[in-house]
Amino acid sequence: MMPRRPMGRDLLHRWEGNPAIRMEDIPFRANTVFNGTPIVTKEGVLLLLRVEGQQGYSMFALARSRDGLRFKVDERPVMMPDKSGPFAEYELRGIEDPRATFLENTCYIVYTAVGKCGPRIAIAKTRNYVNYERIGLVSEPGNKDGVLFPRKIKSRYARLDRPIGGGRGSIWISYSPDLLNWGDSEIVMTPRTGYWDDFRIGASVPPIETSQGWLEVYHGVKLTSAGAIYRIGTALLDLDDPSKVIKRSSTPVLSPREHYERIGDVPNVCFACGAVVDPDGRMKIYYGAADTSICVALCTLEQVLTESFD
Ligand code: BMA
């Protein structure tokens, strides 16, 4: 049993070994590592990591672990921005923020392709986690934070994403018959004036199916006189129509407080890209801290469902 949340503290507990992966753990020259997405395999947990090279643009590397906590990073990156193929123009400034979803027994990675005209959502798939096959660019620029639902909804694939509209980033939903052509877009949640998420929000963790609805662990940004603060919160979406929000956390479940979340390339950032729920309900949420390391937050699914919407 996890202890109940003491008043005024975060619902999620930081793993005592945080940061789980730091720049010093990357076996090749890099500027920083952050925003990793977990992939559960028979052998343990893999983390597909966003690593920023010294030239300033990002690529993906792979870390391996038996317990989901202690990782070893592979010698070489596993996915580089496309240099000469059809994606090259749109990945000139790197590939960012991977989010893995198992869908119909295939591991899909939704990521942000950054080109001259800004960020677009792209989808790739992998069989062995070392080779990645690009499927398509599935949004125009000005969109990021794409996550796939792990099953079809009313016979169509579904995704959440975050287009910028009216100068604000909100979470939208779109549907597809084939993962390539997307439409029927609708708004799901907007930033809330006067809350911790009043400037910008985006999907973070691919939706987790529960008996109460789709649990979406998302990020919210608040602007202060010293810059942005990225925090983690939760929402519950209707199982049959995920454009309907059933509940939304009025307070964050994790806020930057520790020095590794406060100080780094981008200060005051907790930014999740995935979570693992064990069969017994224990949950690990993987988040980038200050765009400078990867950390793990612990909780149970039960706790998140019962306490984050208090
Ligand atoms: C977001 C994304 C994340 C990053 C965060 C904080 O817009 O670009 O990759 O962690 O900003 O800098």
Side-chain angles (χ1 to χ4, degrees):
M1 265 289 278
M2 293 277 177
R4 269 188 78 85
R5 163 165 44 169
M7 289 301 280
R9 299 270 174 77
D10 300 314
L11 175 63
L12 305 187
H13 298 261
R14 291 167 178 83
W15 178 47
E16 70 237 17
N18 276 347
I21 304 180
R22 300 157 306 153
M23 202 256 289
E24 293 79 356
D25 303 315
I26 306 298
F28 49 89
R29 283 208 296 172
N31 178 45
T32 178
V33 54
F34 54 118
N35 301 354
T37 192
I39 301 168
V40 178
T41 67
K42 286 199 197 87
E43 286 77 39
V45 179
L46 303 173
L47 260 188
L48 189 65
L49 316 172
R50 171 176 172 188
V51 174
E52 190 182 276
Q54 289 188 323
Q55 84 288 34
Y57 302 137
S58 295
M59 64 197 101
F60 299 154
L62 193 70
R64 299 168 194 264
S65 163
R66 277 193 187 283
D67 62 3
L69 294 169
R70 295 163 191 85
F71 287 90
K72 188 165 188 316
V73 183
D74 279 10
E75 290 297 314
R76 281 179 234 290
V78 289
M79 186 169 166
M80 301 294 291
D82 187 17
K83 284 276 175 281
S84 53
F87 285 66
E89 183 176 355
Y90 304 105
E91 296 184 358
L92 262 181
R93 294 191 172 141
I95 51 177
E96 303 183 351
D97 301 350
R99 270 107 175 185
T101 296
F102 274 98
L103 178 57
E104 297 167 347
N105 293 320
T106 299
C107 179
Y108 290 98
I109 307 295
V110 183
Y111 66 97
T112 307
V114 193
K116 269 188 282 200
C117 298
R120 299 180 69 181
I121 293 173
I123 304 182
K125 65 180 178 181
T126 180
R127 280 178 198 284
N128 58 9
Y129 315 111
V130 174
N131 302 105
Y132 291 80
E133 181 190 333
R134 287 169 172 82
I135 295 178
L137 290 148
V138 294
S139 81
E140 290 163 347
N143 205 338
K144 48 165 74 173
D145 300 322
V147 293
L148 278 179
F149 285 76
R151 66 167 169 83
K152 284 183 174 167
I153 296 170
K154 296 193 181 139
S155 310
R156 292 188 298 176
Y157 299 107
R159 78 168 196 234
L160 299 174
D161 61 16
R162 202 236 41 207
I164 293 277
R168 305 172 102 202
S170 300
I171 298 179
W172 288 63
I173 190 163
S174 301
Y175 298 92
S176 169
D178 55 7
L179 291 174
L180 264 181
N181 299 285
W182 292 84
D184 280 353
S185 306
E186 276 184 88
I187 197 153
V188 179
M189 305 199 301
T190 58
R192 292 176 294 189
T193 305
Y195 281 78
W196 58 277
D197 53 1
D198 81 354
F199 176 61
R200 196 174 270 180
I201 57 172
S204 272
V205 172
I208 297 168
E209 187 162 11
T210 77
S211 55
Q212 298 177 33
W214 294 104
L215 173 65
E216 176 52 33
V217 176
Y218 72 99
H219 58 271
V221 186
K222 182 181 173 200
L223 285 188
T224 74
S225 52
I229 304 179
Y230 280 74
R231 299 185 170 107
I232 299 174
T234 55
L236 205 56
L237 312 179
D238 186 85
L239 280 181
D240 296 324
D241 178 2
S243 70
K244 290 195 188 126
V245 180
I246 304 169
K247 290 177 183 171
R248 185 166 166 185
S249 61
S250 54
T251 57
V253 294
L254 194 76
S255 295
R257 300 184 197 284
E258 294 296 329
H259 65 91
Y260 50 81
E261 299 160 343
R262 295 272 193 205
I263 300 164
D265 277 10
V266 182
N268 294 313
V269 175
C270 292
F271 190 91
C273 279
V276 171
V277 183
D278 294 335
D280 66 2
R282 278 187 297 178
M283 193 170 169
K284 296 185 185 76
I285 296 178
Y286 296 87
Y287 67 99
D291 285 8
T292 299
S293 66
I294 292 187
C295 294
V296 190
L298 309 170
C299 54
T300 66
L301 185 58
E302 174 70 19
Q303 254 183 330
V304 171
L305 291 174
T306 54
E307 291 182 44
S308 69
F309 304 112
D310 283 356

